[in-house]
Amino acid sequence: MTEQRMDWDSAYQQGSPPPWSIGAPQPELAALIEQGKVRGRVLDAGCGEAELSLALAAQGFSVVGLDGSAIAVAAARSAAAARGLTSTSFEVADVTDFDGYDGQFDTVMDSGLLHALPVERRQAYVRAIRRAAAPGAGLFILAFAQRPFGGGGPGPAGFTAEELRDTVATLWTVDEVRSASLYANDVQVPGGPGPAREAQRDDQGRLMMPGFLLLAHKE
């Protein structure tokens, strides 16, 4: 299936937060922070409105958030200023082809970006974040499992565990791929996918979508 390319700016102009802006870091990534897995300077790749970056900055991490949506980046900057967080910065960038950060990051975090990229740009993205990573840097990617929205409809096709591993293993050493959940607001972006009928919800009414968490490192 050909993946539909999203107009990311329009997704932030609908009057309500887009599905992925849940007002907090994705729980799977928040758990990694609590477990002490995140270290050093952090790249939040595809940061969106940047709750992950802001949570890290609140704990004293230096964070750079990159995103292709100028509207999301403006919202992230505004939120950081409102919370008095000065150890994070945000820039509009093509995450598949950015420079200026070679070897700077000890941790790279991806909160649902890789699965949203066109297939033909995924290796460029894997290469770009590797270039930005310091030797020994950790990489954490949260991505949809295969066909999270059912077959034939719009939206990311997702990955099998093997596909996700193989995509990243071209340039990174993959340590683990495990089942995980991605949480989303129960809203639909115009022209975007809707949840499958059997989608589960948590006690806050958020959708729980099947996915994988990949852990890797740069040799």
Side-chain angles (χ1 to χ4, degrees), residues 22-47:
I22 61 173
Q26 285 287 326
E28 300 281 359
L29 298 182
L32 294 177
I33 300 170
E34 294 172 3
Q35 294 162 11
K37 302 290 188 182
V38 178
R39 59 186 179 83
R41 195 177 190 210
V42 183
L43 171 62
D44 183 0
C47 63

Side-chain angles (χ1 to χ4, degrees), residues 132-159:
L139 171 65
F140 307 113
I141 295 179
L142 187 61
F144 282 136
Q146 195 172 38
R147 307 295 183 199
F149 302 100
F159 296 93

Side-chain angles (χ1 to χ4, degrees), residues 175-193:
D175 301 305
E176 183 181 1
V177 178
R178 63 186 187 225
S179 296
S181 293
L182 289 85
Y183 291 71
N185 303 318
D186 193 1
V187 298
Q188 186 172 352
V189 174

